[in-house]
Amino acid sequence: MIQIALVFAYVCIGLSLILAMWRLWKGPNVIDRVLALDTLVVNGIGMIVVFGISTGVETYFESALIIAMLGFVSTVAYARFVLRGNIIE
Amino acid sequence: MIWDILIAVALVIGAVFTLVGSYGLVKIDRPMSRLHAPTKASTLGVGSLLLASILDAYSSGDGSLHEILVMAFLFVTAPISAHFMAKAHIHRGTVAAAPPTLESGETWACLDKDREEQPADTSA
Amino acid sequence: MIQRLVPHPFLTALLTAVWMLLENTLSWGVFVFALILGLVIPFLTRMWWPNRPKLSRPFKVPEYLVILIWDIIVANVSVAITVVFKRNADMKPAWIAIPLDIRSPEAITCLASTITLTPGTVSADVSSEGAYLLVHCLDTDDADAVRDEIKSRYERRLKEIFE
């Protein structure tokens, strides 16, 4: 049963990665693209977690943690760049 | 068996919420409303996937709790990035309707020209 | 003396918990090393944390967290239903200005994060004097009801916790 749920989760997350990618490509303005990148990062963390469950290897969670941190910092940096024109004052 | 059912349910709920978040990102046509779906649904979706991972570790014998770190980090940072993107939307004027003006003569922080000169922004 | 050696007890507890979660093992050795880190780091960085946030009623925090987690789950289901089944033209987004009773920056930050994580609302900005909070609503008929609910459900509890 876990195998079926894992395949379902892979399909759903892959589909949502494609949808976020579409918004990244189409996005009418720059903030939509930042939001799409943020969603891509969050979905990527989900994908890594599901992969970690299916392989049973613990090391993937460290990478999920690091990607979560980098994703947050990059989103804030992009938004701040749009707001102020520079990142570190 | 009961563990299998719990893990499968958590996985399915997480996957569905993640998909709903990205679907909302594509479907909603107003820029400011678009912020709502990914910041909430995707965060809860990944939270549910991490819960499935904790349950999986416990069912296989070696307990593992460090998924809580990722979960807590996501739940703390999601509002902050949403807040930053909302500020950027207002700043660039890419909102469907302008935010309301206040009676007392105050302005919103990101529209205030004097405040933009100050380096520190405590509101974030 | 204790105040000078342990300038931030909450930060110490947080660092200890985070280190133990990173190590991912429950043993006394890990706990002792986590406690050493939790005591040394706030002490060495104390000059960058000049004032400690006041929590006048910390025992109210668990109640608030339970309400918050429950509301996050309910919020996500309702937002998911709105996003999937409602046509774009039928949604009624609205801006709401919430007058604030709480003044401390920590309390306002907590309130803004709570609003973003709960039903159909995203906090967007504070006013220049910190007296109003700007909230964007995804789909609402009655903006005043949303404002009253936020004030009575979250702000009152945060005011009890922080002031």
Side-chain angles (χ1 to χ4, degrees), chain B:
Chain B
M1 189 61 199
I2 190 84
W3 287 107
D4 285 12
I5 294 173
L6 282 177
I7 296 165
V9 166
L11 274 174
V12 169
I13 290 175
V16 167
F17 271 113
T18 315
L19 185 58
V20 166
S22 296
Y23 174 68
L25 178 70
V26 171
K27 180 209 164 201
I28 298 176
D29 57 352
R30 272 168 269 206
M32 196 58 211
S33 304
R34 219 174 270 149
L35 266 180
H36 288 264
T39 52
K40 286 196 249 291
S42 295
T43 310
L44 188 80
V46 175
S48 181
L49 293 176
L50 288 162
L51 187 69
S53 164
I54 294 177
L55 292 175
D56 183 55
Y58 270 98
S59 75
S60 64
D62 43 295
S64 152
L65 279 178
H66 61 171
E67 289 86 356
I68 289 180
L69 268 185
V70 185
M71 211 191 277
F73 190 81
L74 279 178
F75 272 94
V76 169
T77 56
I80 299 174
S81 39
H83 182 93
F84 260 103
M85 284 184 265
K87 269 172 100 89
H89 266 308
I90 300 171
H91 181 75
R92 286 174 61 93
T94 51
V95 285
T101 50
L102 298 168
E103 306 95 33
S104 59
E106 286 186 68
T107 50
W108 298 111
C110 68
L111 297 174
D112 193 349
K113 288 285 173 273
D114 299 335
R115 197 184 164 92
E116 298 228 332
E117 306 298 321
Q118 295 172 8
D121 191 356
T122 52
S123 63

Side-chain angles (χ1 to χ4, degrees), chain A residues 3-77:
Chain A
Q3 288 305 316
I4 302 170
L6 279 173
V7 171
F8 179 76
Y10 275 132
V11 171
C12 279
I13 297 172
L15 210 58
S16 48
L17 282 169
I18 294 172
L19 290 174
M21 209 60 179
W22 188 83
R23 178 54 78 191
L24 180 66
W25 175 64
K26 183 87 189 300
N29 64 54
V30 88
I31 313 290
D32 287 325
R33 295 199 163 100
V34 176
L35 181 62
L37 270 178
D38 191 50
T39 315
L40 268 180
V41 168
V42 173
N43 290 343
I45 297 166
M47 192 65 126
I48 291 173
V49 168
V50 175
F51 193 64
I53 295 175
S54 71
T55 55
V57 181
E58 272 206 15
T59 321
Y60 290 109
F61 294 106
E62 269 80 27
S63 59
L65 187 62
I66 290 169
I67 291 177
M69 288 176 172
L70 284 180
F72 168 65
V73 171
S74 63
T75 307
V76 169

